[in-house]
């Protein structure tokens, strides 16, 4: 079992910012990559791969930034210009390589509420 611990959620007004953090064991960063998902359906928000390349959902492109600090074993999601539709539970995931990079482990999630 891999222990992923998210923090940084909260309630903010639309247009404001939040930064989520995910702590992971050091060896996780030798995996395929890390990602943030949201919602019960676990919609992909952002991914960062071992080569530091990134990909984003269209809905957050230009507003959210994923980054990783391998020394301190953290993955971050900087969320700017938040919208009410960003309200959800955000979950950190470690990506493992099967035929592709897919989520192998999930954290418990942190709630983000954006009010108008």
């Amino acid at each position: 079992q891999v222990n992923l611990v998210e923090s940084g959620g909260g309630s903010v007004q639309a247009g404001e910012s939040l930064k989520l953090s995910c702590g992971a064991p050091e060896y996780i960063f030798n995996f395929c990559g890390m990602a943030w998902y949201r919602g019960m359906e676990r919609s992909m928000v952002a991914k960062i791969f071992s080569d530091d390349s990134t990909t984003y959902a269209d809905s957050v492109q230009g507003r959210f930034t994923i980054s990783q600090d391998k020394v301190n074993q953290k993955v971050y999601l900087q969320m700017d210009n938040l919208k009410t539709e960003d309200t959800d539970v955000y979950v950190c995931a470690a990506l493992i390589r099967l035929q592709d990079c897919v989520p192998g482990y999930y954290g418990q999630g942190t709630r983000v509420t954006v009010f108008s």
Side-chain angles (χ1 to χ4, degrees):
Q1 185 66 27
V2 172
N3 190 28
L4 303 175
V5 181
E6 302 98 334
S7 62
S11 295
V12 295
Q13 195 166 18
E16 294 183 339
S17 299
L18 276 176
K19 186 173 185 177
L20 306 183
S21 175
C22 173
E26 182 178 3
Y27 63 85
I28 284 293
F29 294 90
N30 295 321
F31 284 18
C32 193
M34 299 291 292
W36 288 93
Y37 291 80
R38 66 186 182 188
M40 292 293 290
E41 70 281 8
R42 290 192 171 157
S43 299
M44 192 279 290
V45 176
K47 294 180 179 179
I48 186 164
F49 299 98
S50 56
D51 63 356
D52 288 331
S53 62
T54 58
T55 186
Y56 296 91
D58 290 344
S59 59
V60 307
Q61 181 75 48
R63 300 188 298 120
F64 290 12
T65 303
I66 188 170
S67 61
Q68 59 187 344
D69 181 345
K70 297 179 182 179
V71 172
N72 293 303
Q73 302 162 36
K74 297 281 189 183
V75 177
Y76 302 101
L77 185 67
Q78 176 68 43
M79 305 186 294
D80 297 320
N81 190 22
L82 281 160
K83 303 177 179 181
T84 55
E85 53 263 42
D86 294 319
T87 294
D88 222 321
V89 175
Y90 286 72
V91 178
C92 175
L95 304 177
I96 61 174
R97 184 173 295 281
L98 297 176
Q99 289 187 332
D100 199 351
C101 288
V102 297
Y105 305 95
Y106 291 99
Q108 293 298 306
T110 184
R111 180 171 295 278
V112 172
T113 302
V114 185
F115 55 91
S116 59

